[in-house]
Amino acid sequence: MALDQLQYEKVDISDFDKRKEDISRQLSHAASTIGFFYVTGHGISEERLDRAFAIGKKWFDLALEQKAEYKLDPVEYIGWKDQGVSRKTARAPKEQITFGHVAPDNQYAIALEAKAKKVVPEIEEFTRGFMDDCLRISQTILRGLAIALGQDEDFFVKGLDRNLPDAGGQGGWNNYLPFSSSSPETKWRSPTHADAELFTLLFQQQGRPGLEVTPGREFFNASNNGKPFLKNWDKFTQPPDEVLTFHPMPPIKNAITVNIGDLLMRWSDGEYLSTYHRVRAPAPDNNIPETERLSLVYFANPARSTVIQASACRRCVLVPVFLL
């Protein structure tokens, strides 16, 4: 079944210091309405991105027993995890590898990189080069979003320092394995969810559709016996897909897909909206290829010691409960 496509904001962040007002306005509008948008003018060349995808592909081509030696650390959220078919969530098989910023005192990130380099030496190009590019882009986006709220330019950037011992930020790849459209009981490569961090930078490959989103404002206007569907910080509740309207968000060449996460929603007093999204699996009634779907992600997060304290802004409406 074909879904209606939204008109997503496409924000060019080049020459930020010369165009702060215009860029900030566009970022704010996109983050406070849909919660998903595209970023261009980010400074990562097509060749550099292709190289990063090739490194990820080389990792996933390793034997299963080799990858199993790099199991995900659930606290640091770095390492490899394998997710098989889930009947409960109708999810197709997927695997993921994530790395942290290699800081002088970040022992988990240092150890994982050193170990991974033994089997894929090019990993260092990603952890010490590409992830730093992603951090730079994240800082630019956060400066624009802070300016739009009437805050100091560095309001959200505090703590985004790769050299801190508790530095945040993880980068890596998702590998959605080849999957036959003749499996009708499996609808999703990734079921409906919202991201927990400040925001996610998603690099999608051309010809690999499947991402679907429900606009943030649309979600908050959804009816639940007269009350909005929200998630609070101590109890996870999620609206059923039936009450949400999803729209495809296809890859755009040389553009990064950005989605606001729960942490930035809380830090902005609910002005910037964390948005539910999912990845659809191949099926007879869609044009999603049955081949693997490799995506590259960067999760923008501050250091753990950063104090997340929202302050009153000129046009925020305080939301009493927030997405987890």
Side-chain angles (χ1 to χ4, degrees):
M1 180 179 64
L3 300 177
D4 293 332
Q5 185 170 320
L6 297 175
Q7 293 298 313
Y8 299 99
E9 197 92 31
K10 188 188 295 183
V11 186
D12 179 359
I13 62 171
S14 61
D15 296 321
F16 178 81
D17 289 336
K18 297 179 181 179
R19 303 190 299 114
K20 289 182 182 179
E21 184 176 342
D22 183 49
I23 293 173
S24 298
R25 177 185 54 79
Q26 292 181 64
L27 288 172
S28 176
H29 179 264
S32 61
T33 53
I34 297 179
F36 267 80
F37 51 96
Y38 297 107
V39 160
T40 62
H42 44 72
I44 297 179
S45 68
E46 187 175 353
E47 293 75 20
R48 187 167 174 80
L49 181 57
D50 289 343
R51 174 67 174 170
F53 271 110
I55 295 171
K57 180 67 166 60
K58 186 173 181 179
W59 168 268
F60 290 121
D61 284 345
L62 294 173
L64 186 62
E65 56 269 20
Q66 286 182 287
K67 292 181 285 189
E69 296 180 11
Y70 302 82
K71 286 291 181 66
L72 181 80
D73 183 300
V75 176
E76 300 296 324
Y77 202 75
I78 58 175
W80 174 80
K81 67 176 180 179
D82 179 30
Q83 297 178 322
V85 174
S86 170
R87 292 184 179 180
K88 181 178 180 180
T89 59
R91 186 195 64 220
K94 165 192 171 184
E95 57 180 334
Q96 179 186 59
I97 180 70
T98 50
F99 294 89
H101 282 288
V102 182
D105 295 318
N106 192 338
Q107 297 304 317
Y108 288 98
I110 292 172
L112 178 63
E113 183 205 52
K115 188 176 180 181
K117 281 165 52 179
K118 295 178 181 178
V119 290
V120 181
E122 299 88 344
I123 284 292
E124 187 173 13
E125 296 179 32
F126 180 79
T127 56
R128 297 174 186 263
F130 196 89
M131 285 181 60
D132 284 355
D133 287 341
C134 291
L135 177 60
R136 169 185 54 79
I137 294 165
S138 299
Q139 291 169 335
T140 299
I141 293 172
L142 287 171
R143 288 191 176 101
L145 292 174
I147 291 171
L149 295 181
Q151 301 291 351
D152 292 337
E153 190 172 320
D154 65 348
F155 180 70
F156 293 127
V157 174
K158 63 187 77 170
L160 265 74
D161 184 345
R162 70 179 303 282
N163 293 311
L164 293 174
D166 59 343
Q170 299 85 25
W173 301 267
N174 292 316
N175 186 32
Y176 302 91
L177 303 181
F179 192 77
S180 172
S181 61
S182 62
S183 302
E185 72 281 359
T186 304
K187 298 180 179 179
W188 318 116
R189 279 178 153 168
S190 183
T192 301
H193 65 284
D195 292 350
E197 59 281 341
L198 292 172
F199 54 75
T200 302
L201 302 182
L202 171 66
F203 299 83
Q204 302 187 76
Q205 288 183 308
Q206 296 297 300
R208 296 291 187 271
L211 176 64
E212 298 175 354
V213 309
T214 186
R217 287 297 177 199
E218 209 171 274
F219 162 73
F220 279 95
N221 291 332
S223 176
N224 178 23
N225 294 323
K227 299 179 181 179
F229 279 107
L230 294 176
K231 292 184 289 180
N232 61 38
W233 292 100
D234 55 13
K235 184 179 179 182
F236 180 87
T237 57
Q238 181 168 311
D241 280 8
E242 298 79 58
V243 306
L244 302 175
T245 302
F246 285 89
H247 305 265
M249 190 166 191
I252 292 183
K253 190 174 183 178
N254 299 325
I256 303 172
T257 303
V258 183
N259 67 279
I260 303 302
D262 300 344
L263 184 57
L264 186 55
M265 181 175 171
R266 183 170 191 176
W267 209 349
S268 67
D269 277 346
E271 176 70 5
Y272 300 139
L273 300 178
S274 181
T275 301
Y276 280 115
H277 52 286
R278 64 193 184 189
V279 179
R280 185 174 290 276
D285 61 348
N286 63 43
N287 63 347
I288 299 173
E290 296 183 352
T291 54
E292 71 177 0
R293 182 182 188 270
L294 185 64
S295 65
L296 195 161
V297 292
Y298 179 80
F299 303 113
N301 272 315
R304 292 184 180 181
S305 56
T306 305
V307 177
I308 307 299
Q309 182 177 356
S311 60
C313 64
R314 292 179 302 188
R315 58 187 187 83
C316 288
V317 176
L318 183 64
V319 177
V321 288
F322 301 87
L323 294 176
L324 178 59

